[in-house]
Amino acid sequence: MTEGRRVVEKAYAYVTRSDGAELLVFEPPDGEGPQVPKGGIEAGEDPADAVVRELREETGLADAQLLDAVATDEWRHPSKPKTYRRHFFHVAVTDAPDEWTHEVTGGGEDDGLRYACHWTRIEEAADALVREQGAHLDDLADAAHEAQNAGKTSSS
């Protein structure tokens, strides 16, 4: 960490549905570009609990299954004196619309904003996501591919 930079803990959700090939993204009203659900980890909060809470606050999805921790990295904000320690998790949902708009809850700085949520193919999301949020999508895709192959092997 660089002197004078504060480390901020964040939880990021790689949310998939159906066969694991689609990723949930949202478009914030500021037009910055597609993002995955994410947010700050509160003092004393476990990152896995934070990612489920943030998913509910930012998308309204309450029936999600936390599958696995994907990666943890550090990302230096280009214009603020902050470094984000980012905890990425794979989360699955089975019942979600193709697209919807959700008003953010939770009392944070995004409270009341309306996010346009939709699904995109994972391979298309990696380069489109802002702030290098797609940095670990290859890890997620590899794990999904291994799981599919294991299912084919055990069922044959």
Side-chain angles (χ1 to χ4, degrees), residues 2 5 9 20 27 34 36 39 55 58 61 81 87 106-107 110 113 128 138 148:
T2 305
R5 293 186 80 81
E9 300 281 337
E27 303 280 345
V36 297
L55 178 62
E58 292 193 348
L61 294 175
H87 303 269
D110 293 343
L113 293 179
D138 285 345
Q148 284 177 340

Side-chain angles (χ1 to χ4, degrees), residues 123-147:
E123 55 273 0
E124 296 169 8
D127 293 331
L129 291 168
V130 300
R131 298 189 218 129
E132 299 175 37
Q133 291 179 9
H136 303 288
L137 283 174
D138 285 345
D139 298 337
L140 182 66
D142 290 345
H145 184 68
E146 287 174 20

Side-chain angles (χ1 to χ4, degrees), residues 49-62:
D49 293 334
V51 78
V52 172
R53 176 183 52 76
E54 287 292 341
L55 178 62
R56 184 180 61 253
E57 290 174 0
E58 292 193 348
T59 69
L61 294 175

Side-chain angles (χ1 to χ4, degrees), residues 7-134:
V7 175
V8 179
E9 300 281 337
K10 294 264 197 175
Y12 290 70
Y14 284 156
V15 183
T16 59
R17 70 172 183 174
S18 59
D19 64 356
E22 292 179 307
L23 182 75
L24 176 65
V25 298
F26 69 83
E27 303 280 345
D30 65 8
E32 181 181 11
Q35 302 180 34
V36 297
K38 83 249 161 263
I41 299 172
E42 297 172 0
E45 186 177 31
D46 183 90
D49 293 334
V51 78
V52 172
R53 176 183 52 76
E54 287 292 341
L55 178 62
R56 184 180 61 253
E57 290 174 0
E58 292 193 348
T59 69
L61 294 175
D63 188 23
Q65 179 184 8
L66 181 64
L67 298 179
D68 202 7
V70 175
T72 298
D73 69 12
E74 288 193 358
W75 181 80
R76 184 177 173 162
H77 197 286
S79 62
K80 297 178 183 177
K82 295 180 183 180
T83 296
Y84 294 123
R85 183 168 297 122
R86 307 184 307 175
H87 303 269
F88 290 86
F89 292 90
H90 183 194
V91 181
V93 297
T94 54
D95 188 29
D98 289 337
E99 57 185 54
W100 69 98
T101 300
H102 177 74
E103 185 172 319
V104 178
T105 63
E109 63 185 43
D110 293 343
D111 198 44
L113 293 179
R114 296 182 59 80
Y115 289 170
C117 304
H118 61 93
W119 299 93
T120 188
R121 303 286 300 169
I122 286 179
E123 55 273 0
E124 296 169 8
D127 293 331
L129 291 168
V130 300
R131 298 189 218 129
E132 299 175 37
Q133 291 179 9

